[in-house]
Amino acid sequence: MSNTLGEFVQKKRHEMGLSLRDFGKLCDISHTHVDSIEKGVDFRTGKKVNITNETIKRLASVLGVDSVYLFSLCDEEIEPIYFRFAKTAKEIGATEEDIEKALDFLSYAKNRENKNND
Amino acid sequence: MLKIGKIKTMTKKELYILMDKKRVEIGMSNNEYIFSPVNSIILADKYCKNLEIIYKNFKETKICSILYKGKETTSICLNSKRSTSGRNFDCMHELIHYWFHENELFMCADKESDYYEWEANEGAAQFLMPYQIYLPLFKRTRIKLLQKDKYLNTNELSNSICKELSTYFNVGTLAISVRMQGLSYELLQYEQGVSINNLDIKSATQLGINKSYS
């Protein structure tokens, strides 16, 4: 299974000289989740790790890279709608800040839909 | 109706007929004497399932609006940086996607990126500014403005027409200006005496003027 995003995060984390725990603190996500992202597998379930839009944004912020770039590294099966959406926003020339606002809207709209489906 | 890949495409004329039918279906008239401008936000609230409209303060106007169309909910994001009348057009654009397109997500930008975007733009334009009303009004407004000041240059005249029509249709001046360009072939016929109901409706692509998605 390819895990381009995980490999990229691990490489950058090593370059920053940070442990899983320290990097997790900076991103405000647990070190076990960072580990799962780097390996591409959720160890509790044994399935492919689920990475949310919010997590991508936090990772991008700490790594100092464009979140759309991180989306482009994701396996499309993770959250394809976010990937396509961010890519389109980038293509029309939207700024990183505006893309984040658009992604926030999408997260909100999807949560609203999921709550109504429950 | 043509088919490109999996997408069934319409000509400009077919699209306009569809929009006119939709207007009539929901009780709106194409008669200029009883015409009133459309408030697309009220319209969307009435016709979209479980709608919530969210205003985001985007830094730029490149993202105009976004539609998320779920099975149980609908969410529309409008750019608060844009004017109220500009947002009226943007919301109508999303409503056209909602009514006629099956995708879950649409992002409307300040440039047309594919066939669906062309259809939503041209459809929203016809829905908010039916050519049957736009063209006679355009002609009358131009005559009126020139009678008032015969020394108006082309730019001043064009800007003044856009302002007047923008208030009348409750859309931004940019939408009026784009509509003016989009209807130039039809306007020419109308000016030459062809009646509104007999106009030959053709898109820029059909006329070989430039590339669009129609």
Side-chain angles (χ1 to χ4, degrees):
Chain A
M1 180 167 52
S2 76
N3 179 28
T4 323
L5 174 72
E7 286 162 11
F8 177 78
V9 170
Q10 190 177 54
K11 182 173 166 275
K12 294 290 277 183
R13 179 175 66 77
H14 285 161
E15 281 171 13
M16 292 163 87
L18 292 170
S19 66
L20 283 172
R21 203 173 288 273
D22 290 340
F23 183 73
K25 272 183 194 163
L26 283 177
C27 300
D28 199 20
I29 54 180
S30 73
H31 67 281
T32 50
H33 192 40
V34 176
D35 195 27
S36 297
I37 291 167
E38 289 185 359
K39 295 191 169 68
V41 178
D42 185 334
F43 298 106
R44 292 166 303 175
T45 61
K47 290 181 181 166
K48 191 183 289 180
V49 63
N50 180 32
I51 307 171
T52 64
N53 162 40
E54 188 54 40
T55 302
I56 289 283
K57 275 164 42 182
R58 288 178 189 178
L59 290 170
S61 168
V62 172
L63 295 172
V65 295
D66 191 316
S67 60
V68 178
Y69 176 67
L70 286 194
F71 274 109
S72 74
L73 297 179
C74 288
D75 181 336
E76 275 223 37
E77 284 173 31
I78 297 178
E79 292 210 47
I81 194 168
Y82 287 108
F83 171 73
R84 287 199 306 269
F85 190 66
K87 194 166 169 277
T88 308
K90 191 79 181 170
E91 278 166 7
I92 62 169
T95 62
E96 179 72 6
E97 191 183 330
D98 283 351
I99 293 170
E100 289 205 3
K101 283 178 185 168
L103 287 167
D104 282 343
F105 162 76
L106 179 57
S107 291
Y108 176 80
K110 278 185 74 77
N111 285 339
R112 214 177 138 239
E113 174 71 10
N114 291 340
K115 274 182 198 165
N116 269 268
N117 279 329
D118 286 344
Chain B
M1 189 174 279
L2 285 170
K3 212 173 172 186
I4 300 174
K6 286 180 182 173
I7 303 174
K8 284 180 182 171
T9 64
M10 278 183 274
T11 62
K12 183 174 165 183
K13 188 177 180 181
E14 287 168 335
L15 179 66
Y16 282 8
I17 290 169
L18 186 67
M19 291 304 122
D20 290 351
K21 273 186 188 165
K22 193 71 187 175
R23 280 179 61 91
V24 171
E25 185 190 311
I26 63 175
M28 304 180 100
S29 172
N30 285 341
N31 182 325
E32 68 169 306
Y33 298 105
I34 49 171
F35 176 83
S36 57
V38 176
N39 184 327
S40 65
I41 292 174
I42 293 176
L43 210 59
D45 200 39
K46 191 172 173 185
Y47 290 100
C48 295
K49 191 174 185 180
N50 199 356
L51 173 72
E52 185 172 337
I53 293 183
I54 292 146
Y55 294 87
K56 286 263 180 197
N57 187 23
F58 290 107
K59 202 174 171 184
E60 293 180 46
T61 50
K62 281 187 174 150
I63 297 176
C64 303
S65 52
I66 307 165
L67 166 70
Y68 176 82
K69 184 180 168 185
K71 286 193 177 101
E72 299 300 324
T73 63
T74 311
S75 301
I76 292 177
C77 177
L78 297 176
N79 187 347
S80 52
K81 235 346 177 344
R82 290 168 66 81
S83 66
T84 309
S85 50
R87 289 199 299 266
N88 193 36
F89 187 90
D90 297 340
C91 188
M92 193 68 232
H93 173 107
E94 299 308 343
L95 195 51
I96 302 296
H97 279 312
Y98 181 87
W99 276 330
F100 300 105
H101 302 147
E102 286 176 359
N103 294 8
E104 185 185 15
L105 186 66
F106 291 94
M107 187 178 344
C108 161
D110 62 356
K111 65 176 182 183
E112 248 165 45
S113 53
D114 59 25
Y115 172 75
Y116 282 150
E117 290 306 314
W118 171 80
E119 211 173 85
N121 274 340
E122 201 63 44
Q126 174 63 9
F127 200 95
L128 295 171
M129 303 168 269
Y131 74 90
Q132 301 91 324
I133 295 171
Y134 184 97
L135 292 177
L137 183 65
F138 178 91
K139 193 178 171 182
R140 281 202 309 272
T141 307
R142 190 174 57 188
I143 292 169
K144 186 186 80 182
L145 289 167
L146 282 173
Q147 278 172 348
K148 236 180 183 175
D149 181 358
K150 62 180 178 182
Y151 297 109
L152 279 177
N153 67 35
T154 315
N155 274 348
E156 288 166 340
L157 180 63
S158 173
N159 289 342
S160 300
I161 294 173
C162 281
K163 272 184 198 163
E164 287 217 10
L165 267 60
S166 160
T167 309
Y168 185 86
F169 289 110
N170 189 25
V171 297
T173 49
L174 180 65
I176 294 289
S177 171
V178 172
R179 186 75 171 141
M180 204 187 286
Q181 285 167 21
L183 287 175
S184 50
Y185 173 65
E186 291 79 6
L187 178 66
L188 187 68
Q189 297 170 61
Y190 185 65
E191 301 266 35
Q192 286 170 348
V194 180
S195 74
I196 278 288
N197 295 329
N198 290 325
L199 293 177
D200 181 30
I201 309 287
K202 279 201 166 67
S203 68
T205 303
Q206 287 174 302
L207 292 167
I209 295 170
N210 61 12
K211 184 187 176 294
S212 79
Y213 297 90
S214 56

